[in-house]
């Protein structure tokens, strides 16, 4: 996904600083770090996403002749200049997908194994947002998307039903159901709440039996309910389908769902096989923004750090080590200086050097499986949807604290 004028998809101050770095002959190596200062009030964890698109951006970043003409005179020559130029777009990429993936992960936890479908395209903030939201949701554990281009581009399974308008366009609901099933190449899902769900279910049962007797390849895989009291209607639908020998027809619920509603439905024992989640997912409605930043930590081999109140950083390149319990559950994290020994699993891995990838990009399915295992490793208190006050132990090494004091002394002497 390469937007037009990608090099100019940045903040103006990145270019003005780049010009100043160039004019001042400041070409020394710099270390920047992208991180989230604090979690939103409704989040206990975040699921990082967007690395693949970030690497694509860095690999392909070039200024065209037209872009250079627009800027008058800009040339990318020095490492700190290059690193500074990346800030806005990297934040843009990683912030959005991490926001959506984190929302999707909460839905996965709430669904407890039920199928999850991304229905969010129409409420996403434009085309690229819809596609990347579908990708982020899938890697977090969603099973399919209704966004066809996301299926083509990323290989995500597609799933969709029909709209109320298809039924309304027919003179009768029964004929609409029949026509839709006959036009489908495989068993499909029927929307039953356009007029009266109970009456629609009678028609679904009759049609299902008719197709079964005739041995048609087409059939009815599921019914979808999109409005009203979803719990009551789902129970009514399950009872009616089971009573008439249609126990293999699944129930899909949609309509203003988020993780909390899903959790209530599942906890209440509502018979549901799948959830379609739209608006709340595509815009991460309860936490649409993260306090994600990109800060200079080292320049010309000297530690640098910001000391602003509430925004202070730890200087220098770092590594994060994660300790796990014997069960695999996360126990604690420790932040150390890069190269400093520590116990646990190192979390930061080099993925690019000199503008080229150092590792082959994993498949989306393998990323999805990794996310699945990592979500299982979250402590229970962090998986709780209402546990935003839950804490997780993170320690800072003595060597890193010493480096911070050294950076402060260096700054004071200037």
């Amino acid at each position: 996904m390469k937007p037009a004028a990608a090099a100019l998809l940045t903040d103006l101050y990145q270019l003005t600083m780049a010009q100043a770095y160039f004019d001042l002959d400041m070409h020394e190596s710099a270390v920047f770090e992208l991180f989230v200062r604090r979690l939103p009030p409704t989040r206990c964890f975040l699921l990082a996403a967007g690395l693949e698109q970030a690497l694509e951006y860095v690999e392909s970043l070039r200024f065209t002749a037209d872009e250079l003409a627009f800027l008058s005179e800009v040339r990318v020559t020095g490492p700190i200049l290059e690193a500074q130029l990346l800030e806005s777009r990297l934040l843009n990429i990683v912030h959005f997908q991490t926001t959506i993936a984190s929302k999707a992960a909460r839905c996965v936890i709430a669904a407890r194994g039920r199928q999850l479908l991304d229905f969010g395209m129409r409420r996403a903030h434009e085309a690229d947002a819809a596609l990347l939201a579908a990708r982020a949701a899938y890697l977090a554990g969603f099973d399919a998307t209704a966004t066809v281009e996301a299926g083509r581009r990323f290989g995500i399974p597609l799933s969709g039903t029909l709209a109320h308008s298809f039924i309304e366009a027919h003179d009768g609901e029964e004929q609409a159901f029949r026509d839709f099933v006959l036009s489908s190449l495989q068993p499909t899902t029927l929307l039953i709440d356009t007029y009266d769900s109970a009456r629609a279910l009678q028609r679904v049962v009759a049609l299902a039996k008719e197709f079964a007797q005739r041995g048609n390849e087409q059939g009815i895989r599921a019914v979808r309910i999109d409005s009203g009291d979803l719990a009551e209607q789902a129970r009514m639908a399950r009872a009616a389908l089971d009573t008439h020998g249609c126990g293999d027809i699944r129930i899909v619920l949609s309509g203003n769902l988020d993780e909390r509603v899903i959790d209530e439905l599942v906890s209440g024992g509502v018979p549901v096989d799948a959830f379609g989640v739209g608006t709340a997912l595509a815009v991460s409605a309860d936490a649409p923004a993260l306090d994600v930043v990109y800060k200079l930590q080292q320049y010309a081999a000297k530690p640098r750090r910001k000391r602003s109140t509430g925004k202070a950083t730890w200087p220098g390149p770092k590594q994060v080590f994660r300790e796990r319990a014997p069960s695999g559950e996360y126990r604690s994290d420790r932040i150390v200086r890069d190269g400093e020994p520590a116990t646990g699993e190192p979390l930061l891995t080099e993925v690019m050097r000199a503008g080229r990838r150092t590792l082959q990009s994993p498949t989306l399915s393998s990323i999805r499986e990794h996310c699945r295992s990592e979500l299982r490793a979250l402590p229970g208190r962090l998986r709780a949807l209402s546990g935003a006050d839950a804490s997780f132990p993170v320690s800072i090494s003595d060597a890193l604290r010493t480096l911070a004091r050294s950076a402060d002394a260096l700054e004071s002497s200037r």
Side-chain angles (χ1 to χ4, degrees):
M1 299 178 67
K2 301 180 178 62
L8 299 188
L9 189 58
T10 189
D11 290 308
L12 178 60
Y13 81 166
Q14 310 295 2
L15 299 174
T16 57
M17 284 189 290
Q19 182 65 57
Y21 287 141
F22 177 73
D23 292 341
L24 295 169
D25 199 30
M26 293 178 64
H27 305 318
E28 296 291 339
S29 179
V31 174
F32 285 81
E33 290 180 349
L34 188 155
F35 58 94
V36 177
R37 284 198 183 102
R38 59 187 62 84
L39 294 175
T42 56
R43 295 289 181 271
C44 296
F45 68 90
L46 297 175
L47 178 55
L51 178 61
E52 178 66 20
Q53 283 68 42
L55 294 179
E56 287 178 0
Y57 167 70
V58 176
E59 278 189 323
S60 63
L61 180 60
R62 302 288 187 277
F63 284 88
T64 67
D66 288 344
E67 289 167 345
L68 290 174
F70 174 74
L71 294 172
S72 296
E73 291 280 339
V74 173
R75 291 174 59 192
V76 177
T77 57
I80 190 171
L81 187 158
E82 295 172 8
Q84 189 72 65
L85 282 173
L86 299 177
E87 176 182 4
S88 297
R89 184 65 175 130
L90 289 183
L91 285 171
N92 173 256
I93 292 170
V94 175
H95 172 270
F96 178 72
Q97 290 199 61
T98 297
T99 299
I100 304 302
S102 301
K103 180 70 171 180
R106 286 167 59 84
C107 292
V108 170
I109 291 171
R112 298 174 181 79
R114 277 82 174 171
Q115 189 178 33
L116 286 165
L117 314 172
D118 159 39
F119 286 176
M121 190 202 109
R122 63 185 60 192
R123 301 290 167 76
H125 296 167
E126 229 280 320
D128 283 355
L131 294 174
L132 292 176
R135 179 184 184 274
Y138 183 68
L139 69 83
F142 269 55
D143 297 279
T145 181
T147 305
V148 179
E149 175 62 9
R152 184 192 72 85
R153 188 169 303 194
F154 302 123
I156 301 172
L158 293 173
S159 179
T161 56
L162 72 162
H164 294 291
S165 58
F166 183 88
I167 296 170
E168 293 168 15
H170 283 72
D171 291 336
E173 184 180 54
E174 182 178 6
Q175 188 60 49
F177 286 168
R178 182 183 300 278
D179 288 349
F180 191 74
V181 173
L182 288 173
S183 71
S184 302
L185 299 178
Q186 56 189 6
T188 190
T189 301
L190 295 177
L191 186 61
I192 64 171
D193 65 324
T194 304
Y195 305 120
D196 180 275
S197 297
R199 186 178 61 184
L201 275 169
Q202 295 174 5
R203 292 166 173 166
V204 167
V205 167
L207 195 59
K209 289 182 176 180
E210 175 188 328
F211 275 82
Q213 290 172 357
R214 290 164 49 182
N216 286 53
E217 291 186 2
Q218 302 100 321
I220 302 171
R221 177 179 57 189
V223 295
R224 179 164 73 96
I225 306 168
D226 190 56
S227 60
D229 187 328
L230 297 180
E232 178 184 350
Q233 292 194 79
R235 290 190 177 98
M236 178 268 293
R238 186 74 276 155
L241 293 169
D242 290 351
T243 297
H244 293 91
C246 297
D248 59 336
I249 294 181
R250 292 155 42 90
I251 296 175
V252 180
L253 299 181
S254 60
N256 299 318
L257 297 182
D258 64 10
E259 67 270 36
R260 296 188 183 278
V261 177
I262 292 171
D263 183 59
E264 289 176 4
L265 292 168
V266 174
S267 297
V270 174
V272 54
D273 301 287
F275 296 100
V277 188
T279 303
L281 171 69
V283 301
S284 186
D286 66 319
L290 304 175
D291 190 9
V292 60
V293 294
Y294 180 88
K295 297 301 178 185
L296 179 68
Q297 313 292 31
Q298 178 174 290
Y299 176 64
K302 297 177 181 178
R304 314 285 175 164
R305 82 174 186 128
K306 185 175 181 177
R307 293 195 293 169
S308 305
T309 302
K311 297 182 177 181
T313 62
W314 294 101
K318 293 175 277 295
Q319 179 59 274
V320 182
F321 286 88
R322 175 159 294 163
E323 293 279 3
R324 295 178 184 253
S327 64
E329 182 178 284
Y330 298 169
R331 177 178 285 168
S332 64
D333 285 355
R334 185 165 179 80
I335 304 175
V336 304
R337 294 186 64 176
D338 188 37
E340 180 184 352
T343 59
E345 170 193 2
L347 300 184
L348 303 181
T349 303
E350 182 180 75
V351 293
M352 177 171 282
R353 180 181 288 271
R356 294 290 180 267
R357 302 186 197 208
T358 56
L359 299 173
Q360 184 176 357
S361 295
T363 63
L364 188 55
S365 60
S366 66
I367 298 173
R368 186 168 183 268
E369 183 54 40
H370 176 70
C371 288
R372 188 194 307 272
S373 66
E374 293 301 292
L375 284 177
R376 286 197 297 262
L378 277 174
R381 65 185 183 279
L382 300 185
R383 292 171 59 89
L385 300 180
S386 59
D389 293 332
S391 62
F392 182 76
V394 178
S395 61
I396 306 296
S397 74
D398 291 341
L400 190 52
R401 293 181 184 277
T402 299
L403 185 66
R405 290 192 290 270
S406 173
D408 291 346
L410 179 66
E411 188 278 330
S412 299
S413 67
R414 290 201 294 266

